[in-house]
Amino acid sequence: MKKILILLIFSNILLSELVLEITQGTEDPYKVAVIPFNGDTSISNTINQIVTNNLKRTGEFKVFNNKKLLSQPQEEVEIIFNDFRILDIDYLILGSISNSDKFNTSVEYQVYDIKKGSKIRTSTVFGIPNKDRQLAHYISDGIYEEITGIKGIASTKILYVTENKNFNLVIADADGKNEQVLLESPEPIISPAWSPDSKKVAYVSFETGIAKVFIQDIATGEREVVIENKFQISAPSWSPDGKFLSITMYQDGNAEIYILNLKNKNLTRLTNHYGIDTESTWSPKGSKIMFTSGRSGAPQLYEINLRRFNARPKRLTFEGNYNAKGSYLPNNQGIIFVHRENTKFQIALKYFDENFVRPLTESQMDESPSISPNGNVIVYAIKDNGMGLLSGVTLSGAKFRLPAKEGAVREPVWSGFLR
Amino acid sequence: MYFLKNKFNFLILVIFLSSCSTMNVTQEQVSSGKVKTVKATSSAASESFINYDSRAVFANATIYFEFDKSNLTSKSIQILKSAVNALDENDSISITLSGHADERGTREYNLALGQRRAETVSDYLVLNGINKSRITVKSYGEEKPAVLGQDESSYAKNRRVEIN
């Protein structure tokens, strides 16, 4: 009983806000000051808080505490650039909020380069009713892009599975907030995947008694089984052009990879080996498929070049005796995967031009890594006291946790760019 | 002609703007992000009733496996021998073999591993004269653990094939 009570208290703490535990960011972060925007105070505070968190979570920004600023300009004419130069601040963000009516909000913000002493960006973001969080995410991405030159991911989504009484397929903002349930089922749901345009999802549901792959439209809720037959089908992955779905089918009792043409439903067999072949995933340009195979006696990652006739699988990992669930970096310079080191399952990175594995995490049971569309952040599932949680690590080394949900959370997958 | 001239002026304006300033000006509307919730019903639950007879016969028939392995141990073979006898004596019943894995490793690999374990059991039964048409093989991977817990004894109980 005592144990249960402690667990309850513990889980209540976990249900709080986003936990930023930046263990190590970039050595020389961009230093920015974000002045609370002019206008409605409550919207202004919400936006300020979200933008600050979004920037911090990238691991590349240091957001200056506003109380320590020498001046807090509300608009351009009030800026004293030297007040910010003294504090070694690189960029200043100002903005103003206008409510055209009770619900519709429009935000104009500016980015100033302190060293140059000039405005480098002015942007307007406007929303449909009650989308203040979304506005803040768009603003964060605008700031991030302007300063780093890389597309931001604050306005992207994460898809994942939760389990408490039922199994749920859930979609949320990249910061873990704004959860929306796509599917609720009494039977397990695994292996969620996004379509390349991020308008549909594929997943494995056991609702019919065996593993079957479904495709579901996010906005309409329309769903269908991809192949109607008696075989177990799992591990869906969309080709980058959206025309094909690679799957694992157990037609002859063993896990083999097939490519399904979504238009005419033609199936092409890709693997043929008595070892397990599963967890297929496409390279960014769609010319190669990587998969996990047990053909060497333990799971390792292999890749098949689709442009070559009858290409033989090429082994990609040789380090340790468990390397699985790989995915390509968006720039195609390497792969991330689950790697076992002694008894620990970690998320690891291997660049194609290096012959060693770089472990990115060090807990006991890390799994399901998924990389952000800009290639900078990996979200993955961890087990903390037996409870499933989501964590993130940036390639610059910053770590964070997403807010805990009710029940276990697992298999996070990052959407494509949405703005 | 007038249009052309107008376009030309506009072009000059654009070039002028982009050359005298490096400031970015953007305007965007946030997307609606509409989401529809669907509730799935399980057709899996009714299935267990079909094999009700066999449940009584194989009440405790569970075969256990080593980590990342799908081969049968001598103890498993003992259990399977009595399963073969029971199936021989009740030739009207058909059975379902559900393979499972412990939680270590990836979910899809464990699904395949569970399937492999169930196939191994199926192969043994078929080799010993049981008609394959009486056997349904499936896997739940690590999704339906028999025991919760992060220790070897829990894991060992979850690496199994259930016969029912």
Side-chain angles (χ1 to χ4, degrees):
Chain A
M1 188 61 210
K2 229 179 196 172
K3 236 182 185 171
I4 293 170
L5 203 72
I6 291 166
L7 209 73
L8 276 175
I9 294 165
F10 188 50
S11 59
N12 268 335
I13 295 165
L14 286 172
L15 282 167
S16 60
E17 280 284 301
L18 169 84
V19 188
L20 290 165
E21 32 171 276
I22 310 273
T23 42
Q24 130 202 33
T26 39
E27 283 184 4
D28 188 19
Y30 298 107
K31 293 187 203 75
V32 296
V34 187
I35 310 290
F37 294 175
N38 244 332
D40 184 303
T41 328
S42 105
I43 298 175
S44 174
N45 287 340
T46 306
I47 290 176
N48 194 271
Q49 193 199 358
I50 297 170
V51 169
T52 301
N53 275 342
N54 284 344
L55 291 177
K56 278 186 185 168
R57 209 170 49 249
T58 65
E60 297 159 70
F61 283 80
K62 183 174 184 273
V63 182
F64 225 83
N65 184 345
N66 286 329
K67 286 184 188 128
K68 291 186 181 158
L69 295 176
L70 302 177
S71 57
Q72 292 212 19
Q74 292 298 306
E75 48 193 298
E76 193 167 358
V77 288
E78 296 173 16
I79 303 173
I80 305 160
F81 283 100
N82 270 335
D83 281 359
F84 297 91
R85 283 192 192 113
I86 288 170
L87 297 170
D88 203 23
I89 288 168
D90 302 311
Y91 298 95
L92 167 69
I93 322 294
L94 297 185
S96 60
I97 301 159
S98 54
N99 300 49
S100 53
D101 58 57
K102 213 170 143 195
F103 304 106
N104 283 304
T105 311
S106 165
V107 180
E108 199 202 300
Y109 66 95
Q110 300 91 32
V111 181
Y112 297 90
D113 185 323
I114 299 295
K115 286 194 184 78
K116 286 185 194 154
S118 68
K119 180 156 68 179
I120 54 169
R121 183 187 182 102
T122 177
S123 295
T124 310
V125 189
F126 53 101
I128 36 181
N130 303 316
K131 289 283 174 192
D132 296 344
R133 291 198 71 84
Q134 289 311 108
L135 284 173
H137 291 325
Y138 275 55
I139 294 163
S140 310
D141 282 345
I143 297 168
Y144 183 83
E145 270 161 39
E146 190 56 46
I147 295 172
T148 67
I150 300 164
K151 265 192 110 168
I153 47 159
S155 58
T156 59
K157 301 267 185 187
I158 294 172
L159 176 69
Y160 50 85
V161 176
T162 66
E163 179 189 357
N164 38 34
K165 234 170 60 201
N166 277 322
F167 296 86
N168 301 299
L169 184 63
V170 180
I171 202 168
D173 290 355
D175 61 1
K177 294 298 188 70
N178 189 23
E179 274 193 303
Q180 288 164 299
V181 178
L182 289 183
L183 178 73
E184 200 185 308
S185 174
E187 293 295 322
I189 301 166
I190 64 167
S191 306
W194 291 92
S195 66
D197 63 4
S198 300
K199 287 181 174 152
K200 289 177 182 172
V201 294
Y203 52 84
V204 176
S205 167
F206 286 78
E207 67 196 69
T208 63
I210 59 167
K212 276 282 175 193
V213 170
F214 287 74
I215 287 181
Q216 182 171 328
D217 186 290
I218 294 169
T220 67
E222 279 170 48
R223 61 200 288 260
E224 55 161 2
V225 177
V226 293
I227 308 169
E228 298 270 7
N229 61 21
K230 59 177 181 169
F231 305 116
Q232 296 184 100
I233 298 170
S234 68
S237 173
W238 249 289
S239 64
D241 64 7
K243 291 178 182 160
F244 302 93
L245 196 71
S246 61
I247 49 157
T248 299
M249 186 159 74
Y250 294 75
Q251 185 157 12
D252 27 51
N254 185 31
E256 299 287 358
I257 296 161
Y258 296 76
I259 296 175
L260 173 71
N261 181 323
L262 288 169
K263 208 169 180 187
N264 61 22
K265 299 274 173 180
N266 274 350
L267 264 180
T268 311
R269 185 167 178 156
L270 195 68
T271 61
N272 195 348
H273 195 280
Y274 57 83
I276 290 168
D277 292 321
T278 189
E279 295 176 337
S280 57
T281 183
W282 301 71
S283 66
K285 285 187 177 150
S287 60
K288 290 178 290 180
I289 281 185
M290 171 167 53
F291 60 100
T292 308
S293 178
R295 60 188 63 200
S296 72
Q300 294 290 350
L301 293 165
Y302 292 76
E303 113 187 321
I304 288 181
N305 189 334
L306 300 175
R307 300 229 168 109
R308 255 183 232 149
F309 181 69
N310 262 344
R312 293 186 56 165
K314 175 184 151 199
R315 185 164 164 180
L316 298 178
T317 52
F318 296 89
E319 302 81 2
N321 61 0
Y322 205 113
N323 293 299
K325 199 169 170 68
S327 38
Y328 291 91
L329 297 181
N331 61 10
N332 200 26
Q333 286 178 359
I335 54 173
I336 55 163
F337 49 96
V338 176
H339 168 69
R340 188 171 61 186
E341 190 72 46
N342 302 319
T343 59
K344 286 180 175 178
F345 287 89
Q346 318 174 305
I347 308 306
L349 164 70
K350 188 177 179 180
Y351 287 112
F352 291 134
D353 61 0
E354 291 177 350
N355 56 1
F356 58 93
V357 162
R358 298 165 176 264
L360 298 172
T361 67
E362 60 269 325
S363 332
Q364 206 57 42
M365 194 82 78
D366 298 340
E367 58 176 23
S368 296
S370 174
I371 193 145
S372 63
N374 68 0
N376 277 5
V377 192
I378 294 163
V379 65
Y380 58 100
I382 61 165
K383 280 249 169 79
D384 192 353
N385 282 313
M387 188 156 124
L389 293 169
L390 302 187
S391 240
V393 58
T394 70
L395 292 194
S396 59
K399 290 196 176 102
F400 60 88
R401 275 190 186 185
L402 292 174
K405 323 285 175 192
E406 275 181 70
V409 193
R410 56 207 183 208
E411 297 198 271
V413 215
W414 223 304
S415 74
F417 291 114
L418 299 175
R419 60 182 270 272
Chain B
M1 194 59 204
Y2 172 77
F3 270 109
L4 268 180
K5 200 180 164 199
N6 216 8
K7 259 188 186 167
F8 186 64
N9 279 344
F10 178 71
L11 204 67
I12 286 176
L13 186 74
V14 170
I15 291 166
F16 173 73
L17 275 177
S18 57
S19 62
C20 78
S21 153
T22 51
M23 189 179 71
N24 277 325
V25 181
T26 70
Q27 198 178 51
E28 53 188 340
Q29 182 173 19
V30 301
S31 67
S32 71
K34 220 181 117 207
V35 169
K36 176 94 191 274
T37 305
V38 178
K39 285 190 181 174
T41 50
S42 170
S43 49
S46 58
E47 197 193 7
S48 57
F49 289 103
I50 301 166
N51 296 322
Y52 192 75
D53 285 347
S54 61
R55 284 218 154 171
V57 180
F58 301 109
N60 293 313
T62 305
I63 314 291
Y64 295 98
F65 297 82
E66 296 297 305
F67 175 68
D68 205 14
K69 293 284 187 298
S70 54
N71 52 308
L72 299 171
T73 62
S74 53
K75 201 181 163 195
S76 307
I77 289 170
Q78 287 304 315
I79 298 169
L80 288 176
K81 273 182 181 157
S82 50
V84 170
N85 290 338
L87 283 167
D88 278 339
E89 281 161 24
N90 308 275
D91 55 7
S92 65
I93 59 169
S94 47
I95 54 165
T96 301
L97 306 174
S98 326
H100 298 264
D102 71 36
E103 67 172 14
R104 290 172 299 169
T106 65
R107 287 171 189 276
E108 284 289 350
Y109 198 80
N110 282 337
L111 184 69
L113 193 58
Q115 178 75 15
R116 230 175 152 71
R117 288 171 177 157
E119 292 287 347
T120 307
V121 173
S122 170
D123 288 349
Y124 180 90
L125 297 178
V126 171
L127 213 64
N128 285 277
I130 307 303
N131 195 323
K132 205 170 165 61
S133 64
R134 296 170 68 190
I135 307 169
T136 305
V137 178
K138 64 178 175 181
S139 176
Y140 284 108
E142 61 176 278
E143 308 309 321
K144 294 202 169 184
V147 183
L148 293 172
Q150 272 82 40
D151 50 78
E152 184 43 49
S153 79
S154 309
Y155 294 151
K157 289 184 185 110
N158 291 333
R159 295 188 299 260
R160 69 202 193 277
V161 170
E162 290 177 2
I163 308 176
N164 41 44

